[in-house]
Amino acid sequence: MAKITFITSDNERIELEATSGSVMQLAVDNGVQGIDGDCGGVCSCATCHVHVLPEHVAKTGEASEIENDMLELDDNVSEYSRLCCQLEVSEALDGVVLQVAK
Amino acid sequence: MNTSEISDPFKKARIENGCGHIEDQNDPATMVLRLKDVRKCAHNWKTFQSGAEPGRIVIPSEVAIRTTRQIPFEVDPPEHKGYRDLVEPWFKRPLDPTYQEKLKVIIDTIIDEVLTKESIEVVGDLSLKLQSRALTLLLNTPFEESERWISWGTHVFRSEDSSLDGDKANILYDYIDEEIDKAIANPGCDLYSVLLASEVNGKKMTKEEVKGVMILTFAGGRDTVINALTNSVAYFAEHPESIQQIKENPEITGKAVEELIRYFSPLTQMGRVATQDATVCEHAVKADTRISLCWASANRDETVFENPNEVVLDRKLNPHIAFGFGTHNCLGATHARQIMNIFLTTIAQKVASIDILEAEENIEDLGDFKRKVGYDSLTVKFNAH
Ligand code: HEM
Ligand code: HEM
Ligand code: FES
């Protein structure tokens, strides 16, 4: 079981727990504002953009080249940007805090 | 077994050159062919603008046949954002479960009907009907309106002998004028009324602006959806194992939708006008000339996609740009994705196989290239389980 926290652009904190699936799916299933997941998680739409809080980046690891190429041209990109459809829920993510970009 | 194949005419030029060339009514365009370049140009709206003379960013150019600016399609930031923010929540309605249930009824009805027929012509009897009926949901207009849209045939803008037909396009323009006047007299809960009651960038929407939005929803969502549906039928006819695969693994349906849309790329390209001298992958682009963002070529880019010419229904990483990229990415994508998703699910549930009886391909003539986008007609027989 991993605890994952989203902070929306309205500064709402949403704490969720999950054991599997993608972080994007978790957010969509729980109606987290700003995460639409339009493409269903194949890295084509960038509607699942989050900023990992700096103290938690070790938990999420590195983005792939394909993911980085998508993020590179996003208006709101930072060095902590991730497309959360590319984050698989696992113990490693437990406690992570994600700021929703949109 | 290759009637359903959509080949990639851009490969050689994309690898060797990165660019292609298309002549069009004395206003040629440099076609951008690689995925990363297309994304960069789409992102760079300051240099490559959409807000040029109305009709100019469309290839073939529509400058000669219309003056109405399509909104938000032919508007650049920052004005673009105001329009886009206004319409975006409306175009996200397909995410609502009740919308999806209604869409499912429309699709079920059509599939049940085609299963009783000895043969059907998919473009007219399935795709156009489905697209038109589904559009009544998106616009929130009475279902019966779809009969009128179906009666226009597949090509509202095109006659037998000419690809750009101003008179024919007038049918649509006159219809939309009428509908706007009706909505002014009797406001309801449809998209016309909602737009007429809205303010954008601090000003009330004018009739002309509302018309610009409405024309675009008719034009942009018509051929694209029709081709996506028809091409899917052809693909499943030749790949019955794919019907089985979706039936047994319904969780891949979303990925299958993305992959089919990548493979079909129903919108081949869209243009931009350079606001200054620029270069695109080492090719000079002069100010006030056109480039084309070739989504169809980008979606077969071998440096990005493994086995780009194969349909891999459960492709996991699929950064395609069939719905565009950046500022102007497709507003109708949520609706189109829901249509495709329910369409695939319904076929998997109800259809065992499809036999192709006759196929007439629709080949776009793009100067250096010829590209199949779909079918002028496709006659098939649907077989139930
Ligand atoms: C499979 C179906 C579809 C495909 C492949 C598709 C493709 C595209 C592409 C590539 C663009 C970007 C154009 C550009 O950058 O200049 C676009 C924009 C657009 N599409 Fe679609 N489209 C589809 C369905 C629809 C539907 C159903 C509608 C509405 C009923 C629609 C409405 C629009 C609009 C309004 C824009 C312009 C958005 C803006 O400028 O902000 N499309 N579409
Ligand atoms: C007032 C607006 C528009 C007009 C008058 C218009 C007109 C046309 C015409 C005349 C053709 C036929 C071209 C030919 O046969 O060579 C065509 C095809 C097409 N248009 Fe548009 N168009 C409009 C807007 C759009 C938009 C906004 C999109 C997508 C975002 C779009 C997508 C397509 C596609 C995919 C085809 C190819 C379909 C096929 O050949 O089967 N159109 N359009
Ligand atoms: S859900 Fe589309 S890129 Fe993540």
Side-chain angles (χ1 to χ4, degrees):
Chain A
M1 184 74 74
K3 192 173 97 177
I4 294 165
T5 304
F6 297 90
I7 304 174
T8 68
S9 53
D10 299 343
N11 260 325
E12 190 190 350
R13 260 182 102 88
I14 301 167
E15 293 183 6
L16 298 170
E17 286 185 341
T19 47
S20 63
S22 83
V23 172
M24 176 280 287
Q25 201 57 51
L26 179 71
V28 169
D29 292 345
N30 289 280
V32 174
Q33 199 203 325
I35 307 270
D36 294 338
D38 284 350
C39 76
V42 298
C43 212
S44 165
C45 71
T47 64
C48 63
H49 184 183
V50 295
H51 301 283
V52 183
L53 292 206
E55 58 272 33
H56 297 288
V57 285
K59 297 183 177 124
T60 57
E62 299 272 313
S64 69
E65 189 188 336
I66 284 183
E67 185 182 335
N68 274 329
D69 286 345
M70 282 290 288
L71 284 166
E72 183 189 37
L73 298 176
D74 202 289
D75 290 334
N76 199 356
V77 69
S78 78
E79 60 183 300
Y80 304 111
S81 283
R82 291 299 305 266
L83 295 174
C84 69
C85 66
Q86 300 304 307
L87 298 175
E88 274 300 308
V89 173
S90 74
E91 291 297 333
L93 278 187
D94 190 33
V96 76
V97 183
L98 307 168
Q99 172 84 49
V100 179
K102 202 181 153 202
Chain B
M1 288 275 287
N2 57 10
T3 309
S4 69
E5 189 179 312
I6 311 254
S7 60
D8 166 25
F10 309 107
K11 181 171 178 178
K12 190 163 179 282
R14 182 177 57 238
I15 294 174
E16 289 175 4
N17 246 318
C19 285
H21 182 83
I22 181 167
E23 287 295 332
D24 172 26
Q25 306 164 57
N26 295 322
D27 193 7
T30 300
M31 299 172 74
V32 185
L33 300 177
R34 294 177 185 158
L35 186 128
K36 280 190 190 179
D37 292 328
V38 175
R39 276 200 191 140
K40 272 191 203 141
C41 294
H43 182 70
N44 187 0
W45 52 266
K46 281 190 182 139
T47 307
F48 301 111
Q49 69 166 177
S50 294
E53 186 183 353
R56 193 166 173 210
I57 63 168
V58 185
I59 300 171
S61 168
E62 290 160 7
V63 165
I65 62 161
R66 71 171 156 102
T67 50
T68 299
R69 182 172 295 282
Q70 292 190 26
I71 296 172
F73 178 56
E74 294 175 320
V75 182
D76 290 308
E79 289 79 20
H80 177 267
K81 187 171 187 307
Y83 292 114
R84 184 81 191 207
D85 288 351
L86 167 68
V87 289
E88 194 139 334
W90 180 274
F91 281 87
K92 290 270 179 188
R93 284 161 48 254
L95 293 175
D96 182 2
T98 52
Y99 189 102
Q100 292 168 16
E101 277 156 31
K102 288 184 194 160
L103 191 52
K104 176 139 182 49
V105 173
I106 289 174
I107 293 175
D108 270 340
T109 308
I110 288 179
I111 299 286
D112 287 343
E113 188 189 324
V114 301
L115 277 167
T116 65
K117 301 261 172 80
E118 271 313 299
S119 84
I120 70 140
E121 197 287 293
V122 180
V123 179
D125 295 340
L126 188 156
S127 306
L128 172 64
K129 270 193 197 171
L130 203 167
Q131 181 273 334
S132 299
R133 292 178 184 173
L135 190 62
T136 63
L137 288 180
L138 187 63
L139 306 187
N140 204 24
T141 50
F143 181 80
E144 297 68 48
E145 283 301 300
S146 59
E147 281 158 31
R148 182 132 167 212
W149 308 338
I150 294 166
S151 77
W152 292 337
T154 33
H155 302 306
V156 218
F157 306 113
R158 197 179 336 183
S159 56
E160 292 297 309
D161 43 299
S162 136
S163 72
L164 285 176
D165 188 330
D167 290 340
K168 235 190 145 187
N170 281 336
I171 298 179
L172 176 62
Y173 295 149
D174 293 346
Y175 170 79
I176 288 174
D177 278 334
E178 266 172 50
E179 293 301 305
I180 292 175
D181 287 335
K182 274 196 223 161
I184 291 173
N186 264 317
C189 303
D190 49 61
L191 182 56
Y192 303 93
S193 306
V194 170
L195 293 173
L196 284 164
S198 301
E199 269 191 17
V200 166
N201 300 328
K203 281 187 300 219
K204 205 159 167 356
M205 287 279 278
T206 63
K207 254 175 91 165
E208 180 73 4
E209 286 172 320
V210 173
K211 188 173 169 184
V213 177
M214 296 309 303
I215 286 171
L216 186 55
T217 26
F218 276 92
R222 199 170 168 94
D223 290 337
T224 46
V225 171
I226 290 171
N227 284 335
L229 292 169
T230 310
N231 294 354
S232 298
V233 172
Y235 170 78
F236 286 121
E238 291 195 330
H239 299 273
E241 74 282 1
S242 295
I243 304 182
Q244 200 58 27
Q245 191 186 356
I246 294 173
K247 190 178 163 138
E248 284 165 14
N249 311 284
E251 73 283 357
I252 70 162
T253 312
K255 292 194 175 73
V257 169
E258 298 304 317
E259 175 66 349
L260 290 174
I261 287 179
R262 175 191 75 87
Y263 185 76
F264 302 147
S265 293
L267 185 61
T268 301
Q269 60 179 347
M270 195 49 79
R272 296 288 189 268
V273 176
T275 54
Q276 58 192 66
D277 288 348
T279 45
V280 175
C281 102
E282 291 164 20
H283 293 254
V285 175
K286 284 228 172 319
D288 198 36
T289 65
R290 301 195 295 172
I291 64 166
S292 111
L293 309 174
C294 190
W295 321 110
S297 167
N299 286 338
R300 300 292 178 98
D301 191 327
E302 41 285 305
T303 66
V304 179
F305 302 97
E306 259 175 59
N307 303 323
N309 297 319
E310 272 170 43
V311 176
V312 182
L313 283 186
D314 57 356
R315 200 182 276 276
K316 283 186 190 58
L317 272 181
N318 195 348
H320 72 80
I321 49 175
F323 286 117
F325 183 79
T327 314
H328 292 281
N329 72 0
C330 181
L331 192 58
T334 315
H335 178 72
R337 283 177 160 125
Q338 284 304 331
I339 292 179
M340 283 292 283
N341 203 299
I342 298 173
F343 188 62
L344 264 53
T345 304
T346 311
I347 286 188
Q349 282 166 355
K350 302 194 177 206
V351 178
S353 63
I354 304 166
D355 304 319
I356 297 182
L357 305 174
E358 218 182 293
E360 197 77 55
E361 296 187 337
N362 174 4
I363 311 282
E364 279 180 334
D365 189 348
L366 307 166
D368 295 354
F369 315 100
K370 308 255 175 294
R371 173 174 193 255
K372 173 176 164 187
V373 278
Y375 300 85
D376 285 331
S377 74
L378 177 71
T379 309
V380 306
K381 173 161 186 356
F382 277 80
N383 305 304
H385 277 293

Short mmCIF file of all heavy atoms in Angstrom, two decimals, chain B residues 19 201 233 365 374:
data_model
loop_
_atom_site.label_atom_id
_atom_site.label_comp_id
_atom_site.label_asym_id
_atom_site.label_seq_id
_atom_site.Cartn_x
_atom_site.Cartn_y
_atom_site.Cartn_z
N CYS B 19 11.77 17.29 -44.65
CA CYS B 19 10.71 18.16 -45.17
C CYS B 19 10.20 17.67 -46.51
O CYS B 19 10.90 16.94 -47.23
CB CYS B 19 11.23 19.59 -45.35
SG CYS B 19 11.41 20.47 -43.80
N ASN B 201 -12.80 37.47 -23.56
CA ASN B 201 -11.82 38.55 -23.52
C ASN B 201 -12.52 39.90 -23.25
O ASN B 201 -12.23 40.92 -23.87
CB ASN B 201 -11.01 38.60 -24.83
CG ASN B 201 -10.27 37.29 -25.08
OD1 ASN B 201 -9.84 36.62 -24.13
ND2 ASN B 201 -10.10 36.91 -26.32
N VAL B 233 -13.40 -0.24 -39.21
CA VAL B 233 -14.17 -1.38 -39.72
C VAL B 233 -13.29 -2.18 -40.69
O VAL B 233 -13.21 -3.42 -40.61
CB VAL B 233 -15.47 -0.91 -40.42
CG1 VAL B 233 -16.16 -2.08 -41.12
CG2 VAL B 233 -16.41 -0.27 -39.40
N ASP B 365 -4.07 13.71 -52.71
CA ASP B 365 -2.95 14.06 -53.57
C ASP B 365 -2.21 15.22 -52.92
O ASP B 365 -2.71 16.33 -52.84
CB ASP B 365 -3.50 14.47 -54.94
CG ASP B 365 -2.38 14.63 -55.94
OD1 ASP B 365 -1.20 14.65 -55.52
OD2 ASP B 365 -2.68 14.74 -57.14
N GLY B 374 -8.60 7.13 -46.17
CA GLY B 374 -9.77 6.33 -45.83
C GLY B 374 -10.38 5.77 -47.09
O GLY B 374 -9.64 5.38 -48.01
#
